[in-house]
Amino acid sequence: MAKYYITTPIYYVNAKPHIGSAYTSIAADVLARYRRQLGDDVFFLMGTAEHGSKMAQSAEKVGKTPQEFVDEMSQQFEQAWETLNISHDDFLRTTQPRHEEAVKLFFEKLKESGTIYEADYEGLYCVGHEAFMKEDELTPDGLCPDHKTKPELVKERNWFFKLSSYQDKLVELITSGELDIQPEGRKNEVLAFIQRGLEDIAISRRNVKWAIPLPWDDSQTIYVWLDELFNYCSAIGYGKDDALFKKWWPADLHLVGKDIIKFHCIIWPALLLAIGEAVPKKVFAHGFFTVDGQKMSKTLGNVVDPVELAQEYGSDVVRYFLLRDFSFGNDADFSHTRMKERYNSDLANGLGNLVSRTLNMVEKYFDGKEVPASVVLPEEVVQFAKDADGFVEALAFSKALTNMWKMVAWADELIEEYKPWELVKKGEVEKAQEVIAQAVSVLRLINDRIAPFMPQAHEKFTAILSAKPLKKPSEPLFARKD
Ligand SMILES: [Zn+2]
């Protein structure tokens, strides 16, 4: 049995879950469910990032202690993932003792490795980013382009990690594919960044109180980004349960948004090399959402809440739409209108209608007899099924679903071509039954494949297809929305 360790980033809990974090989580969930279906041993990790001065400021604004604030916010994330039917095996919070202990061990290891040193540092720090920024990254008037705030000039004595000495090794790992970065464009972006020259990075802060203390220096706390990256190891027992850690590490796939790719493809593998651990096998970065062509923002009031969408359409439909309508990896534009159109065309009128009409004919023309369980299908339609599987493995979710719907179209055409009701009128009952049995067989293939994408519909569909004898469902698989 193959092991498969998949992660999403741990999300910042200073705002509610949005469509972007839902997108990553749904994609990861589809992969985890797909692997479980194959019989793999899967560990699917999610969690929340809860440290940093930004978090402490957000808590203060609403009159709460940081701990109270992150407890409440983290819960909102857990509830959102429950609403979206996400099947993670663990949910790590960076304020949990199991994580904090592992991070301290990790820093002790770093210190032993001789890859860190103490030095004075002066730099421009953006609290919104929780990161130092270079002057050429700022707007002409010196603001952070994303947060529109002036970064603070920070001057302090910090600990540094010798990231610069990993330049060649990182290039080698990435170009050889040992660390597989996808899509290709992101890989090239990372390589170009490394080849411009890596600088050492600060790994501790003096004035950030809401963070994990540096084990050997109380006056400093651990830089939140490093604390967060380490969640992928702390969750699987780093330093505590060696057998468990060995079983799962390295991660088979880190799914991330494109904004955090440098942390995951440069800093993270270098830190792992420093402490003598393997680098992740693959990092895949997806794009960002706009809404009706505009950037999502609180001021525009167009922030899409995935929980509200799921309450309106059901979680399956949100899952289907996000993975079907957008090509995973590219930026995407969300539209409520298109979501409804797709629901009606693909689910209600497409698959839902095919299920009803096929089983209606079974009920009419099989006379209570059982439909043969396996019939030989033409190569063409079997190939659609194989292609759909291949596309899931390649994280080309939209293409995978397109291939499943080619199977829907194939069965519709089959029924239109042979018109079983006319065959029956002409007395060719056996031929009619053969056509209907083929359609039922295709429905079974489709049902197996939609399982990771739409777990609730799959359950309903399975109940419909296991009835003995088969009969028309009492309610449609997907009811039309007007
Ligand atoms: Zn910023």
Side-chain angles (χ1 to χ4, degrees):
M1 189 158 62
K3 73 95 183 168
Y4 190 72
Y5 179 26
I6 179 170
T7 70
T8 65
I10 46 174
Y11 305 112
Y12 270 119
V13 295
N14 65 328
K16 285 201 302 184
H18 53 72
I19 196 89
S21 40
Y23 190 46
T24 322
S25 309
I26 292 167
D29 187 58
V30 167
L31 290 167
R33 286 176 186 270
Y34 174 79
R35 292 285 174 162
R36 288 189 200 114
Q37 214 178 359
L38 288 182
D40 286 357
D41 197 5
V42 173
F43 191 74
F44 172 17
L45 175 68
M46 295 183 83
T48 41
E50 307 184 354
H51 286 130
S53 33
K54 181 165 57 172
M55 207 66 75
Q57 285 173 4
S58 301
E60 208 184 316
K61 262 188 216 153
V62 292
K64 296 194 193 289
T65 67
Q67 191 63 55
E68 285 169 347
F69 180 72
V70 297
D71 284 348
E72 277 170 29
M73 292 303 289
S74 174
Q75 186 123 35
Q76 289 200 22
F77 277 76
E78 286 200 77
Q79 278 163 0
W81 306 148
E82 201 181 311
T83 306
L84 289 168
N85 218 342
I86 307 293
S87 65
H88 47 290
D89 297 292
D90 194 0
F91 192 85
L92 182 134
R93 300 179 52 194
T94 57
T95 52
Q96 288 168 336
R98 60 164 173 160
H99 174 71
E100 298 193 354
E101 284 159 21
V103 169
K104 283 180 188 168
L105 266 176
F106 160 48
F107 266 67
E108 296 282 9
K109 273 260 175 185
L110 270 184
K111 192 157 181 259
E112 280 166 31
S113 72
T115 55
I116 63 174
Y117 60 92
E118 208 179 2
D120 286 319
Y121 188 76
E122 192 179 278
L124 294 165
Y125 193 82
C126 172
V127 174
H129 269 95
E130 292 289 10
F132 283 101
M133 304 195 66
K134 289 187 190 163
E135 238 152 292
D136 61 6
E137 290 175 313
L138 305 176
T139 65
D141 37 354
L143 302 181
C144 164
D146 295 336
H147 296 98
K148 314 281 179 233
T149 50
K150 202 175 166 67
E152 299 165 30
L153 181 68
V154 172
K155 194 175 174 181
E156 58 186 38
R157 197 159 180 80
N158 292 128
W159 285 84
F160 284 80
F161 170 62
K162 293 179 187 166
L163 183 63
S164 58
S165 61
Y166 290 91
Q167 192 155 326
D168 296 342
K169 183 69 189 161
L170 286 171
V171 170
E172 188 193 312
L173 284 172
I174 296 167
T175 47
S176 72
E178 208 177 320
L179 169 58
D180 181 12
I181 303 173
Q182 288 196 21
E184 194 71 14
R186 297 287 162 220
K187 172 173 142 182
N188 296 335
E189 182 189 318
V190 168
L191 280 172
F193 187 85
I194 298 174
Q195 277 150 350
R196 281 203 297 271
L198 294 178
E199 286 173 21
D200 292 350
I201 54 160
I203 58 168
S204 67
R205 295 294 317 279
R206 191 160 294 271
N207 295 312
V208 177
K209 299 288 172 244
W210 182 243
I212 303 174
L214 199 61
W216 61 86
D217 180 353
D218 280 350
S219 73
Q220 304 242 340
T221 54
I222 289 169
Y223 180 39
V224 289
W225 261 104
L226 274 60
D227 149 11
E228 289 156 13
L229 285 166
F230 206 69
N231 90 91
Y232 303 129
C233 288
S234 63
I236 51 167
Y238 180 83
K240 211 173 197 175
D241 186 340
D242 290 342
L244 189 72
F245 183 74
K246 270 212 181 80
K247 176 181 174 184
W248 295 111
W249 194 257
D252 294 85
L253 175 64
H254 290 319
L255 269 190
V256 300
K258 64 176 183 179
D259 55 331
I260 52 176
I261 194 154
K262 284 174 201 158
F263 286 98
H264 282 82
C265 298
I266 298 173
I267 298 175
W268 180 226
L271 288 165
L272 287 162
L273 292 171
I275 60 165
E277 298 297 344
V279 301
K281 290 183 192 162
K282 186 180 195 160
V283 178
F284 190 105
H286 66 74
F288 280 174
F289 279 97
T290 50
V291 176
D292 297 320
Q294 284 182 302
K295 198 174 166 178
M296 240 190 292
S297 83
K298 276 188 194 153
T299 30
L300 284 173
N302 64 350
V303 176
V304 179
D305 182 337
V307 172
E308 279 170 20
L309 277 185
Q311 279 156 354
E312 190 184 343
Y313 284 89
S315 64
D316 273 359
V317 180
V318 179
R319 295 167 64 102
Y320 173 79
F321 179 67
L322 291 183
L323 294 184
R324 171 61 185 85
D325 215 44
F326 313 111
S327 154
F328 200 65
N330 298 336
D331 286 342
D333 185 48
F334 180 89
S335 139
H336 285 278
T337 317
R338 208 166 51 243
M339 179 156 170
K340 193 164 154 186
E341 281 167 6
R342 261 214 190 278
Y343 174 80
N344 281 327
S345 67
D346 298 4
L347 299 178
N349 299 342
L351 179 58
N353 187 43
L354 174 66
V355 171
S356 296
R357 72 193 295 213
T358 306
L359 292 173
N360 191 26
M361 288 189 290
V362 170
E363 199 173 312
K364 271 187 167 158
Y365 306 132
F366 273 78
D367 212 15
K369 273 193 310 180
E370 277 190 32
V371 178
S374 68
V375 297
V376 178
L377 290 169
E379 185 50 37
E380 177 196 11
V381 67
V382 174
Q383 193 59 44
F384 290 147
K386 283 187 196 154
D387 289 347
D389 296 343
F391 283 127
V392 174
E393 300 207 1
L395 283 77
F397 303 110
S398 181
K399 286 181 179 164
L401 289 164
T402 304
N403 270 273
M404 292 176 217
W405 262 256
K406 282 182 186 169
M407 296 160 78
V408 173
W410 185 89
D412 273 331
E413 279 162 28
L414 177 81
I415 293 167
E416 282 315 310
E417 188 183 339
Y418 289 96
K419 298 185 176 58
W421 53 94
E422 285 183 6
L423 290 172
V424 169
K425 261 189 222 160
K426 286 189 278 181
E428 297 177 46
V429 178
E430 260 178 46
K431 178 68 195 163
Q433 288 181 343
E434 202 181 295
V435 170
I436 298 165
Q438 282 203 330
V440 172
S441 253
V442 173
L443 288 182
R444 292 191 197 280
L445 288 182
I446 296 169
N447 185 35
D448 287 343
R449 280 164 185 77
I450 64 164
F453 292 87
M454 293 187 279
Q456 286 172 343
H458 170 71
E459 208 173 294
K460 209 166 147 188
F461 201 174
T462 303
I464 292 171
L465 290 175
S466 8
K468 281 192 172 68
L470 289 178
K471 56 176 191 295
K472 194 180 174 185
S474 51
E475 53 176 272
L477 192 54
F478 300 100
R480 225 192 119 76
K481 261 191 189 295
D482 294 308

